Amino acid sequence: MSSSGTEKARELPAQIDTSVAHSARVWNYWLGGKDNFPADRAAGDAYKEKYPLIEPFAKESRDFLRRTVTYLARDAKIRQFLDVGAGLPTANNTHEVAQRIAPESRIVYVDHDPLVLLHVHALLTSTPEGATAYVEADMRDTEAVITGARETLDLEQPVALVISDVLGHIVDWDDALSLVRRLVDRLPSGSYLALSHSTASDEAHRAVQDEYNSSGAIPYIFREPETTIAFFDGLEMVEPGMVSWPNWRPDANTGTLTDRAGWGAVARKP
């Protein structure tokens, strides 16, 4: 895309309002991406000014995704991935990580954001041996997700369900929990769930997020690890269990180990 926000705006469908901050574009900005606009950068800078750790948090979340997909492809030998609520592509997307390890890996991304649709070409690259596809669906519509995934994945064989720090956008806890359980129920034995969720580091962080949520941007609800561990009920936790993002199987590329603002885990369906 063009580096000019004005030029980019001319390429966008009318339903995408670049004058209002969008959570996916703000996140993209914090990650150092280019798919954002002045309103997104202003919102991101305002958040960062009051809570400077937000950029490291965003990078920790992305690195958690890299390490979990690496584990699933390399150690668990999973060759099928269903990435729900994929968001804007940045570095180390699920298909890139998986196919570097196992070129025959098949990946399906799910999102319903029209902004993501504009960038779907970046998600649909694939090795010749594997496949990458995109399903336009609300992740809460289990039937649409599963029906779309079946076109690329063999749902009789193990699948890694990847839900990377998006469930905070579902405000109602019961709805979020039901979503995960419905999707896991549709996958066969030997499948995995890799899931992460943000929590507030402290009251200052919570206050900044509350202000952001009231700005007109898509809200994100923090939940504590003691709550979100319920997503894994009935599944077999992979060591080290549910921990802060940097503490999940850190490697040479992992930054400082902290217990700050995001937790996650990987678990196997028996």
Side-chain angles (χ1 to χ4, degrees):
M1 296 185 70
S2 167
S3 60
S4 165
T6 301
E7 292 174 5
K8 286 195 291 185
R10 286 200 295 265
E11 300 169 6
L12 297 176
Q15 71 266 33
I16 297 179
D17 185 355
T18 62
S19 68
V20 177
H22 186 289
S23 58
R25 297 194 305 251
V26 173
W27 194 255
N28 176 269
Y29 174 55
W30 286 332
L31 286 171
K34 298 178 180 179
D35 298 313
N36 47 76
F37 295 88
D40 309 307
R41 295 190 285 274
D45 287 342
Y47 196 120
K48 186 170 58 174
E49 182 178 353
K50 295 177 180 177
Y51 210 80
L53 289 174
I54 191 60
E55 279 191 349
F57 294 163
K59 292 177 173 62
E60 287 171 1
S61 174
R62 197 68 184 179
D63 199 47
F64 174 83
L65 173 68
R66 176 187 63 80
R67 297 195 312 279
T68 54
V69 173
T70 296
Y71 166 81
L72 290 163
R74 184 189 63 201
D75 301 329
K77 308 300 182 187
I78 295 295
R79 297 295 180 261
Q80 302 190 109
F81 295 80
L82 179 57
D83 188 333
V84 175
L88 287 171
T90 55
N92 285 319
N93 300 296
T94 297
H95 73 283
E96 294 170 326
V97 177
Q99 291 182 344
R100 277 199 298 264
I101 296 165
E104 70 274 24
S105 296
R106 305 176 74 81
I107 296 88
V108 171
Y109 292 101
V110 178
D111 210 300
H112 73 298
D113 190 328
L115 180 69
V116 177
L117 291 175
L118 289 176
H119 301 270
V120 71
H121 63 279
L123 290 174
L124 294 183
T125 58
S126 176
T127 57
E129 305 95 323
T132 306
Y134 184 90
V135 174
E136 182 183 358
D138 189 315
M139 61 184 173
R140 290 167 290 194
D141 187 348
T142 308
E143 288 305 318
V145 171
I146 294 299
T147 298
R150 283 189 189 280
E151 297 182 8
T152 303
L153 307 180
D154 178 359
L155 298 187
E156 302 303 315
Q157 299 298 319
V159 174
L161 173 61
V162 177
I163 306 178
S164 182
D165 200 25
V166 295
L167 291 171
H169 293 304
I170 299 179
V171 175
D172 185 87
W173 163 246
D174 289 335
D175 287 349
L177 185 60
S178 174
L179 157 68
V180 175
R181 290 182 174 170
R182 291 196 312 272
L183 288 172
V184 171
D185 285 348
R186 300 295 293 271
L187 301 180
S189 174
S191 294
Y192 284 79
L193 171 63
L195 183 149
S196 63
H197 201 297
S198 291
T199 188
S201 297
D202 49 42
E203 286 308 311
H205 189 190
R206 190 177 299 280
V208 175
Q209 185 65 34
D210 287 345
E211 182 178 337
Y212 177 86
N213 289 347
S214 65
S215 70
I218 299 172
Y220 187 102
I221 305 301
F222 288 141
R223 296 185 175 106
E224 299 305 312
E226 294 81 4
T227 299
T228 54
I229 196 169
F231 288 127
F232 299 94
D233 285 352
L235 305 179
E236 300 168 346
M237 281 285 194
V238 171
E239 291 294 332
M242 190 166 185
V243 295
S244 62
W245 292 329
N247 287 294
W248 199 91
R249 298 185 175 232
D251 58 22
N253 295 315
T254 306
T256 304
L257 304 186
T258 72
D259 287 326
R260 292 190 296 211
W263 288 61
V266 174
R268 181 181 181 275
K269 182 176 179 178

